[in-house]
Amino acid sequence: MKFRSLAMAGALALCAAQSHAEDFTVGITTTGIPFTFVDTGTQKPTGAMVDLAAAIAEDLQMTPEFAITQFSALIPALQTDKIDVISAGMFATDKRKEVVDFSTPVYSYGDAAFVAADDAGAYQLEDLAGEVVGAQIGTTFADQLQAKGIFSEVKLYDSLVDIMRDVKLGRIKAGFGDKPIVAYQIAQNPGLGVKLVDGYTPMGVGDVALAVSKDKPELLDQVNAAIAEMQQSGELAEIFGKYGL
């Protein structure tokens, strides 16, 4: 692959051969467009984090195998060795760092709020006090919304699409999710019946990174070395730029 140095490739290949299996099982979700999703034409996993994991696997001279998993089940799958790494739109939070190790950050962004397409409100969080809002189970946004303590209910959903459906139908006032993912889905699917809240201030900005089991420090070192090479060469920016990130 372009931009790879022979010295680094050789060193990583040696480490991989000594410390890890030939297969490189990557946990992803199908609802994380444009980070991780299934191409409807090929029916194969694709997205920025899929391409990144494939490039890392090539550096390690391993064969990437993508395991489609619900977002909330990704960390449990990693802890039980069902997968080797998580490569999704997952923030490297302090809480998650207690149970898994994260790579060097590869992308940063905040949350977005969305409402029904015919809702003209320019909401901030405080404006939604007393309302029912929704977020995806297992996300940092769900935890942050619940910690606010200002909503009548924070409903938890398995997927972003389910949240958008309930917002459109008026079952909940607003939904929250990863801004790049929400923006991409709305742009690609006008029929969803929801829109981003203009001027909304995110609860925070997080760093996306790959997650590795705490008992595999050698693999984490190899992943970080590959990321560093891609950052230096510009390939990392190319991968994310391909998906409008």
Side-chain angles (χ1 to χ4, degrees):
M1 195 169 185
K2 62 180 180 178
F3 306 130
R4 302 286 191 268
S5 70
L6 292 177
M8 179 182 175
L12 291 175
L14 178 60
C15 290
Q18 291 175 340
S19 65
H20 205 64
E22 187 65 21
D23 288 338
F24 187 66
T25 307
V26 183
I28 64 169
T29 69
T30 59
T31 58
I33 301 172
F35 292 103
T36 55
F37 60 103
V38 173
D39 186 296
T40 55
T42 64
Q43 293 302 308
K44 293 182 178 180
T46 189
M49 296 301 289
V50 173
D51 288 1
L52 175 59
I56 291 172
E58 183 173 334
D59 271 334
L60 304 183
Q61 295 191 351
M62 294 180 182
T63 302
E65 298 288 342
F66 293 97
I68 296 174
T69 309
Q70 282 192 349
F71 189 87
S72 59
L74 284 170
I75 288 180
L78 188 68
Q79 292 175 308
T80 55
D81 288 329
K82 293 179 181 178
I83 57 177
D84 296 308
V85 300
I86 297 170
S87 188
M90 178 178 283
F91 286 149
T93 65
D94 290 339
K95 184 176 180 180
R96 290 173 180 153
K97 288 177 183 178
E98 294 176 0
V99 292
V100 299
D101 285 335
F102 283 98
S103 71
T104 302
V106 295
Y107 192 78
S108 300
Y109 66 89
D111 56 292
F114 55 93
V115 294
D118 59 357
D119 189 333
Y123 303 105
Q124 297 297 332
L125 279 179
E126 294 73 17
D127 300 321
L128 295 168
E131 300 284 359
V132 180
V133 299
Q136 192 173 353
I137 189 171
T139 63
T140 59
F141 309 135
D143 295 337
Q144 290 172 317
L145 290 168
Q146 290 174 326
K148 292 288 182 182
I150 63 173
F151 307 104
S152 63
E153 183 183 0
V154 178
K155 294 190 68 174
L156 301 180
Y157 295 80
D158 286 329
S159 74
L160 192 58
V161 173
D162 292 335
I163 305 173
M164 291 180 171
R165 177 203 62 222
D166 277 7
V167 169
K168 177 183 178 180
L169 294 175
R171 294 171 179 167
I172 62 176
K173 180 65 175 179
F176 294 82
D178 308 80
K179 186 173 183 178
I181 297 175
V182 174
Y184 188 92
Q185 292 202 15
I186 291 175
Q188 296 294 315
N189 303 284
L192 288 171
V194 299
K195 67 178 182 180
L196 290 171
V197 176
D198 289 334
Y200 169 75
T201 302
M203 291 179 280
V205 175
D207 294 324
V208 175
L210 286 80
V212 177
S213 173
K214 282 187 173 293
D215 62 3
K216 295 181 180 178
E218 298 88 355
L219 178 59
L220 180 63
D221 290 341
Q222 294 163 22
V223 168
N224 280 334
I227 291 172
E229 179 73 5
M230 283 188 277
Q231 286 175 327
Q232 184 175 5
S233 68
E235 186 178 359
L236 185 66
E238 287 184 8
I239 289 173
F240 284 95
K242 176 183 175 181
Y243 296 93
L245 295 168

